[in-house]
Amino acid sequence: MASKRVFVVFVLPIIFSLIIGSVVLGGILQKPDRELNMWPMSTEHGISHNLAIEIIGLSKQYSTTEPVEIQVQVNDSSFSCGDLYITIYASGKNEVITQGGFFEQCMASGNKIIPVDEQFSETIKTPGSYEIVVEMVSKQLKNISTKGTFTVK
């Protein structure tokens, strides 16, 4: 009799939870443009809405003579200093077009805009669709990132 109680109280709820969880997850992943992202840091479309770090000044479209100039705003108070990496990829490919590193960026009190006293500016001469990824890595190796997309015509 005790083994039936153990089965009903402990084992049966685990089995039902796994079945229901699998059905729900399977249904969600069947929707278009959905993927299983275990570490959600950003989205694929336009500028992501990661509140810890944001891209400032990114336009949706540039000409081949116009430089891509951005700044980054860090809203996470646990990041007082860190290294900033900005990488531009050809959209849909893992081909790096350009990368910039700004080391030991410390946010002054009240100013959370980086790079401090520097500027990321890059002119892309080949028309196409591009993705820009911004990542901030703290001295404790904690990182936050976001990305955005733009086109060059």
Side-chain angles (χ1 to χ4, degrees):
M1 188 69 169
S3 66
K4 285 186 179 183
R5 285 186 185 163
V6 169
F7 180 77
V8 170
V9 173
F10 294 107
V11 178
L12 199 58
I14 292 172
I15 293 171
F16 283 136
S17 296
L18 289 174
I19 291 171
I20 292 171
S22 297
V23 169
V24 169
L25 185 59
I28 289 172
L29 290 176
Q30 293 300 318
K31 293 182 181 179
D33 297 330
R34 296 296 292 219
E35 64 181 34
L36 182 60
N37 188 357
M38 298 302 285
W39 297 358
M41 289 187 274
S42 60
T43 64
E44 292 289 331
H45 308 289
I47 297 175
S48 71
H49 299 287
N50 184 351
L51 298 178
I53 185 169
E54 297 178 54
I55 299 172
I56 298 173
L58 182 65
S59 297
K60 292 188 182 275
Q61 185 173 324
Y62 294 90
S63 70
T64 55
T65 59
E66 182 182 8
V68 176
E69 295 179 341
I70 66 159
Q71 291 183 309
V72 177
Q73 180 173 350
V74 178
N75 299 318
D76 190 337
S77 60
S78 65
F79 280 83
S80 59
C81 289
D83 297 335
L84 174 67
Y85 301 97
I86 302 173
T87 309
I88 297 179
Y89 296 93
S91 192
K93 305 173 186 171
N94 284 334
E95 177 184 342
V96 175
I97 303 302
T98 186
Q99 186 173 39
F102 302 92
F103 303 107
E104 297 193 21
Q105 295 291 305
C106 294
M107 280 63 78
S109 60
N111 185 16
K112 297 178 181 180
I113 306 288
I114 52 176
V116 178
D117 298 328
E118 296 182 63
Q119 183 175 2
F120 177 81
S121 179
E122 191 67 40
T123 302
I124 299 174
K125 304 215 182 274
T126 307
S129 182
Y130 296 91
E131 180 176 74
I132 186 165
V133 177
V134 175
E135 182 178 21
M136 183 78 175
V137 180
S138 72
K139 291 182 180 184
Q140 295 79 26
L141 299 179
K142 178 181 174 187
N143 66 359
I144 52 177
S145 68
T146 191
K147 58 185 161 181
T149 57
F150 63 94
T151 57
V152 175
K153 293 190 177 191

